[in-house]
Amino acid sequence: MDERGIEYIDCGCNGESVDYTVIASETCAHITSGECERGLLFCGTGIGISIAANKTPGIRAACCSDYYSAKYTSMHNDANVLCVGGRVISSGLACELVDVFLDTANEGGRHQRRVDMLTELDKKKQ
């Protein structure tokens, strides 16, 4: 993020052992408040933190470990959080996934109907 000149809020653990639910909740709060547009979450597999993130209404978090999934979750699902497993993929691939996730815009169109349906599911949670 620093190399790309992208401003961000670091909600990370700074090397300390923490509960991923706390990190996910704090990150998602920055998104749902409008302070941030997107979030990046990391844990061992990416799965636990994605489950935690998806408990927040308005969050569409996707756990990705390949380029295609990271690109299309942004393009088709309008995901606003990318979750990555630090013990599953290399740091180089993680950087590629972050880049494609951030650089790919949602294309709307036929996919917007499904994103709207996800939004309706969020309303049922509240």
Side-chain angles (χ1 to χ4, degrees):
M1 304 298 284
D2 290 335
E3 288 176 17
R4 293 184 54 168
I6 297 174
E7 291 185 37
Y8 60 92
I9 298 170
D10 186 350
C11 300
C13 63
N14 300 313
E16 302 291 322
S17 179
V18 298
D19 294 322
Y20 56 78
T21 55
V22 174
I23 302 297
S25 179
E26 183 180 348
T27 300
C28 292
H30 288 293
I31 297 166
T32 58
S33 73
E35 186 176 6
C36 297
E37 292 178 25
R38 290 182 160 186
L40 304 170
L41 292 171
F42 305 88
C43 72
T45 63
I47 296 169
I49 207 156
S50 69
I51 293 169
N54 279 313
K55 296 294 183 184
T56 302
I59 296 299
R60 292 176 303 281
C63 180
C64 298
S65 57
D66 65 271
Y67 186 91
Y68 184 87
S69 296
K71 179 174 181 152
Y72 280 84
T73 198
S74 187
M75 187 182 292
H76 290 181
N77 308 123
D78 198 21
N80 51 11
V81 177
L82 174 67
C83 303
V84 176
R87 294 183 183 143
V88 178
I89 63 170
S90 69
S91 59
L93 179 56
C95 289
E96 286 181 29
L97 300 184
V98 168
D99 284 343
V100 72
F101 177 75
L102 294 177
D103 292 342
T104 303
N106 177 259
E107 67 180 22
R110 67 184 177 97
H111 305 287
Q112 187 60 48
R113 179 176 60 87
R114 296 177 190 117
V115 173
D116 293 342
M117 292 169 95
L118 292 172
T119 301
E120 287 301 315
L121 290 174
D122 279 341
K123 290 177 183 175
K124 291 180 182 179
K125 285 185 191 177
Q126 298 173 352

